[in-house]
Amino acid sequence: MLVRTFGWSMVITVIGLAFAGLIWGWSGLAVVAILSVLEISLSFDNAVINAGILRKLNAFWQRIFLTVGVLIAVFGMRLVFPVAIVAITAKINPVDAVKVAVNDPDRYQHLVTNAHPAIAAFGGVFLLMIFLDFILEEREIAWLAWLERPLAKLGKLDMLSVVIALVALLVAAMTVATAVPLHGGHGTVDKTATVLLAGVAGMVAYLVVGGISGFFEEQLEDEEDAEDAEDSEDGAEAAGGAGVNTAKKSGTSALGLAGKAAFFMFLYLEVIDASFSFDGVIGAFAITNQIFQMALGLGIGALYIRSLTVFLVRKGTLDDYVYLEHGAHYAIGALAVILLVTIKYEINDVITGLVGVVLIGAAYLSSVVRNRRLGEGSGEPEQRTEVPSGV
């Protein structure tokens, strides 16, 4: 299982490190290795969230996630995205932005760092919406029941998550965004308007992509329920309708989402991955300002996160350890707050990574205790969503 799931990531790691050593020497190899570890530590919670969504998709869209999605994650977010940010914020054409990134790394780092408030506001609000919609939704299983149960009751108020996110954005805009230190520490600049605009854009992106994918998912579920009811009626007239209905429902959920619902769910996955990559891309500048070293190191780390996502789905880990998704969403909430704070203040990536690891580790241990208490520690989950092998 481990070799089949992580095999390609290991092969690419060896090739990537060998290439780095050949082109940039031992120092370049070390930088790429450090960036890979940085990306993995910062994005572990991303793998848990991705697994929770990936298991809803059918085999075809799972393959798309593992092929096209990897290309988007590695080349799009770790190579193209920083250059695009430079082009937009510096108001230069993409060709000149590439030239700056390749030929003038110091200026490139300066331009990307100055764009950080907008990046942090967009990603922070997007991730905050994910956390709020999770924590304000009533669910059968609660990890921190003393907190989640009351919040779920409050969540019955329409658009409460939007209101809270907007308030958080306003607080950030009126506090940390009013005096953002310039790169190099030479004075400050007011980024209030930039932060407000980027934060609203992050919310719009979440509402549009998440709303459309949710709409098609609900539509598909309604169609399945209608088919199940029809089969149940037909089966009851013949004899044993309940058995037919059960078989139908089992087969439907095993197939997973397809068509428009799967497409927008895939887009939602990619936007989530993009939001998680923001802190990694910005944090990488503390290690190097060489764009190709950065892309290679972060790309290798992104491959392991994709492999970990597949591993979690194949093993049915989220079914066995039911609090993992809770821990991952709390980590998302913490990362959202950290991103908004970093608009002005620098927070070490070690702290950012440790917050996620500690929360997910606590959720895992709580799940183990729950399984032992219920006598389910060695039991198989009721249903597995198999990610297609051969990718």
Side-chain angles (χ1 to χ4, degrees):
M1 172 68 77
L2 286 174
V3 174
R4 185 179 68 167
T5 305
F6 290 92
W8 276 110
S9 297
M10 295 176 181
V11 170
I12 297 299
T13 299
V14 173
I15 295 173
L17 291 178
F19 177 82
L22 182 64
I23 300 299
W24 300 300
W26 288 106
S27 61
L29 187 151
V31 166
V32 170
I34 292 170
L35 287 173
S36 301
V37 175
L38 171 70
E39 179 69 9
I40 294 170
S41 65
L42 290 176
S43 301
F44 184 80
D45 44 357
N46 190 14
V48 179
I49 299 299
N50 285 351
I53 299 174
L54 186 64
R55 60 180 177 172
K56 299 179 182 179
L57 303 180
N58 67 6
F60 171 78
W61 283 100
Q62 288 176 354
R63 289 192 181 95
I64 292 295
F65 173 78
L66 296 173
T67 52
V68 177
V70 166
L71 293 177
I72 295 173
V74 175
F75 295 103
M77 287 309 303
R78 275 75 182 181
L79 186 61
V80 177
F81 169 74
V83 175
I85 286 295
V86 167
I88 294 170
T89 56
K91 298 180 181 179
I92 58 178
N93 65 62
V95 175
D96 289 337
V98 172
K99 290 179 180 178
V100 170
V102 175
N103 301 323
D104 194 352
D106 291 335
R107 185 184 174 210
Y108 173 69
Q109 178 179 353
H110 172 77
L111 292 173
V112 173
T113 303
N114 284 343
H116 175 66
I119 297 171
F122 182 96
V125 171
F126 188 94
L127 294 177
L128 184 59
M129 286 295 298
I130 294 175
F131 167 71
L132 290 173
D133 276 351
F134 178 87
I135 201 69
L136 294 175
E137 180 183 352
E138 190 171 2
R139 55 191 70 250
E140 183 179 348
I141 297 175
W143 179 30
L144 305 179
W146 58 271
L147 175 64
E148 295 173 18
R149 299 296 187 199
L151 289 177
K153 292 180 180 179
L154 287 175
K156 294 178 181 179
L157 296 173
D158 288 339
M159 306 300 289
L160 181 60
S161 60
V162 174
V163 172
I164 295 175
L166 284 175
V167 169
L169 176 61
L170 285 172
V171 170
M174 301 306 293
T175 54
V176 293
T178 56
V180 178
L182 290 171
H183 180 64
H186 304 296
T188 60
V189 62
D190 189 342
K191 291 281 187 176
T192 301
T194 299
V195 166
L196 283 174
L197 182 61
V200 170
M203 179 171 294
V204 169
Y206 174 83
L207 293 175
V208 170
V209 180
I212 293 176
S213 63
F215 169 77
F216 283 113
E217 185 179 0
E218 289 178 6
Q219 194 175 55
L220 184 62
E221 290 175 354
D222 290 341
E223 292 174 0
E224 291 172 358
D225 289 341
E227 291 176 4
D228 291 343
E230 184 178 343
D231 288 340
S232 180
E233 291 176 3
D234 293 341
E237 292 177 1
V244 175
N245 185 44
T246 302
K248 174 69 179 177
K249 285 192 81 170
S250 173
T252 303
S253 58
L255 288 174
L257 294 179
K260 294 179 181 178
F263 173 72
F264 284 104
M265 190 67 74
F266 170 75
L267 288 183
Y268 182 56
L269 262 175
E270 293 306 314
V271 177
I272 290 176
D273 182 77
S275 299
F276 271 100
S277 70
F278 290 156
D279 58 332
V281 172
I282 298 299
F285 281 104
I287 300 170
T288 182
N289 56 14
Q290 300 293 326
I291 184 173
F292 295 114
Q293 291 182 3
M294 195 181 303
L296 182 58
L298 297 179
I300 290 174
L303 286 175
Y304 278 96
I305 294 301
R306 295 286 166 134
S307 297
L308 180 59
T309 298
V310 174
F311 180 80
L312 293 174
V313 175
R314 283 180 176 168
K315 292 288 289 184
T317 305
L318 300 186
D319 294 320
D320 289 338
Y321 303 99
V322 295
Y323 297 140
L324 274 181
E325 282 192 274
H326 295 74
H329 279 89
Y330 280 109
I332 284 179
L335 178 58
V337 173
I338 288 172
L339 278 173
L340 293 176
V341 171
T342 58
I343 291 173
K344 180 176 182 179
Y345 301 103
E346 184 176 347
I347 296 180
N348 194 290
D349 289 328
V350 173
I351 297 175
T352 305
L354 281 177
V355 168
V357 171
V358 168
L359 287 170
I360 293 177
Y364 171 78
L365 292 175
S366 297
S367 299
V368 171
V369 171
R370 174 185 182 274
N371 290 345
R372 288 177 178 173
R373 186 174 66 248
L374 299 178
E376 299 173 356
S378 60
E380 291 295 322
E382 295 180 4
Q383 181 179 323
R384 293 279 194 263
T385 304
E386 186 69 17
V387 172
S389 57
V391 177

